[in-house]
Amino acid sequence: MKVTEHIKKANGKTLFSFEIIPPKKGKNIRELYDNIDPLMEFKPPFIDVTTSREEYVYVEKDGLLDRQITRMRPGTVGICAAIKHKYNVDTVPHVLCGGFTREETEYLLVDCHYLGIENVMALRGDAMNHQKYFEASEGGHKYACDLVKQIRNMNDGKYLHDVIEADHKSDFCIGVAGYPEKHLEAPSLQSDLKRLKEKVDAGADYIVTQMFFDNSKFFRFVEEAKKMGIDVPIIPGIKPIAVERHLQILPQVFKIDLPEELIHEVEKCKTNAEVRQVGVEWCIKQSKELVDAGVPTVHYYSMGKSSNIQKIAAAVF
Ligand SMILES: Cc1cc2nc3c(=O)[nH]c(=O)nc-3n(C[C@H](O)[C@H](O)[C@H](O)COP(=O)(O)OP(=O)(O)OC[C@H]3O[C@@H](n4cnc5c(N)ncnc54)[C@H](O)[C@@H]3O)c2cc1C
């Protein structure tokens, strides 16, 4: 089923959903299942699976270091199919502009269609580790909006090459990213919202937000988005703080602010276990307020570890 159909069917009840990351190349998928198993009792209607950008690795060759490019966490579509089959749950593969040509994206979408995957999250992807700014691949898209158009075209039976006659069209439900504290490259929240509106006008069916720790920022974002004419469901994405280092890493990577009260509580902690507890309690508070506000789903960034999310879900759902 489509994400938007799940939301409609829930009839105003807030759903629980989460995102996982594929294991590193060479690791067992069992570990992923061990983290999904405890979350299934909260009946997620869908699970998102991220796609990682390629990165450079250095391999010793004839006494010299050879720079090679690789994707360390491949397998997004395969994992989506495996989870769908094992748990009978809808899965949402993240499809990126970065690192893919339009042609490769088309093949990936064809795979998804054959596998009965009905939802995809259309994203630009970040710059690669060594790059300062995002660079589109040769033959690939520059912005998520163009990717949305390609997926929508395929739904209309229009493939990259006119010679294709589609008599079994795809019907992907398309999710896109939104940023309550604006995307780090956007000059202002308003200009970022205009770009978000372009994605919706191009055919996006729903929005999932970047993580935030202050609900008032999400509520303001939803209000501004509505004023802009964005009328698709907006799903808040949140994550519990798990280690003290998050106080530096999260603002640095995502350009988001952390509330003073949360910083103060984390700084008071003497052990990692105490930090995790503060993170869980903050996330429960955030979740309950979001549920009370009637959001369609609270979507958790699990980062492949379920124990914190399980505690939060048990307190909220
Ligand atoms: C819910 C969620 C899931 C994510 N999952 C992944 C994942 O699996 N893998 C991964 O690598 N990354 C993921 N990301 C991160 C995402 O790829 C980055 O935030 C990326 O930098 C931007 O992606 P986007 O789809 O929002 O890009 P876009 O919508 O293309 O926007 C990127 C920037 O360009 C601007 N912009 C858009 N259109 C134009 C235009 N026509 N002209 C000028 N400027 C424009 C926007 O304002 C924004 O600043 C995720 C993010 C979120 C919120």
Side-chain angles (χ1 to χ4, degrees), residues 19-22 48-54 71 76 92-98 121-127 134 142-149 175-180 182-196 198-199 207-211 235-237 253-254 299 301:
E19 171 186 297
I20 53 165
I21 50 177
D48 276 53
V49 184
T50 64
T51 294
S52 67
R53 282 300 315 262
E54 333 80 283
R71 210 174 283 274
T76 301
V92 188
H94 290 191
V95 182
L96 299 186
C97 303
M121 200 54 202
L123 299 147
R124 188 196 71 177
D126 281 320
F134 174 85
K142 195 170 174 195
Y143 295 111
C145 188
D146 303 320
L147 177 56
V148 172
K149 285 179 193 158
V176 290
Y179 301 84
K182 91 172 183 64
H183 182 256
L184 52 100
E185 293 161 30
S188 71
L189 182 61
Q190 281 306 311
S191 74
D192 204 25
L193 277 163
K194 272 189 213 149
R195 299 304 182 189
L196 182 58
E198 285 169 9
K199 292 194 274 193
I207 295 160
V208 183
T209 74
Q210 181 58 276
M211 68 182 75
I235 297 174
V253 174
F254 301 112
H299 189 70
Y301 294 108

Side-chain angles (χ1 to χ4, degrees), residues 49 125 181 246 274 313:
V49 184
E181 298 178 60
H246 278 156
E274 283 176 21

Side-chain angles (χ1 to χ4, degrees), residues 114-272:
Y114 287 152
L115 288 164
I117 292 168
E118 294 178 70
N119 304 280
V120 289
M121 200 54 202
L123 299 147
R124 188 196 71 177
D126 281 320
M128 282 171 66
N129 281 350
H130 68 287
Q131 291 170 334
K132 201 152 185 210
Y133 301 105
F134 174 85
E135 282 172 29
S137 307
E138 209 182 317
H141 297 296
K142 195 170 174 195
Y143 295 111
C145 188
D146 303 320
L147 177 56
V148 172
K149 285 179 193 158
Q150 180 178 359
I151 302 166
R152 189 55 67 193
N153 276 340
M154 204 171 135
N155 282 353
D156 290 339
K158 286 185 226 146
Y159 286 71
L160 294 175
H161 305 289
D162 290 341
V163 289
I164 311 292
E165 279 180 35
D167 60 5
H168 180 53
K169 290 178 191 168
S170 61
D171 187 18
F172 291 113
C173 174
I174 308 170
V176 290
Y179 301 84
E181 298 178 60
K182 91 172 183 64
H183 182 256
L184 52 100
E185 293 161 30
S188 71
L189 182 61
Q190 281 306 311
S191 74
D192 204 25
L193 277 163
K194 272 189 213 149
R195 299 304 182 189
L196 182 58
K197 174 79 164 55
E198 285 169 9
K199 292 194 274 193
V200 173
D201 290 345
D205 298 291
Y206 69 101
I207 295 160
V208 183
T209 74
Q210 181 58 276
M211 68 182 75
F212 55 89
F213 292 87
D214 175 352
N215 285 350
S216 69
K217 297 205 168 146
F218 172 77
F219 295 136
R220 178 176 154 227
F221 172 74
V222 172
E223 218 170 275
E224 293 294 320
K226 277 191 186 144
K227 274 192 218 153
M228 189 76 72
I230 294 173
D231 57 2
V232 297
I234 302 182
I235 297 174
I238 58 174
K239 162 191 162 57
I241 294 266
V243 287
E244 195 185 351
R245 247 176 337 121
H246 278 156
L247 295 188
Q248 285 82 45
I249 294 172
L250 300 177
Q252 191 186 359
V253 174
F254 301 112
K255 300 284 177 291
I256 52 171
D257 269 352
L258 298 182
E260 281 307 321
E261 191 190 335
L262 176 60
I263 299 169
H264 182 65
E265 288 303 316
V266 172
E267 282 176 347
K268 273 196 318 198
C269 295
K270 295 199 172 53
T271 62
N272 268 339

Side-chain angles (χ1 to χ4, degrees), residues 101-114 150 154 160-161:
T101 64
R102 293 175 177 81
E103 193 81 22
E104 285 164 342
T105 298
E106 190 171 272
Y107 299 151
L108 186 147
L109 293 169
V110 168
D111 284 343
C112 291
H113 185 37
Y114 287 152
Q150 180 178 359
M154 204 171 135
L160 294 175
H161 305 289

Side-chain angles (χ1 to χ4, degrees), residues 41-60:
E41 68 168 290
F42 306 106
K43 304 207 171 0
F46 61 91
I47 299 173
D48 276 53
V49 184
T50 64
T51 294
S52 67
R53 282 300 315 262
E54 333 80 283
E55 55 191 274
Y56 280 119
V57 290
Y58 293 85
V59 181
E60 203 183 322

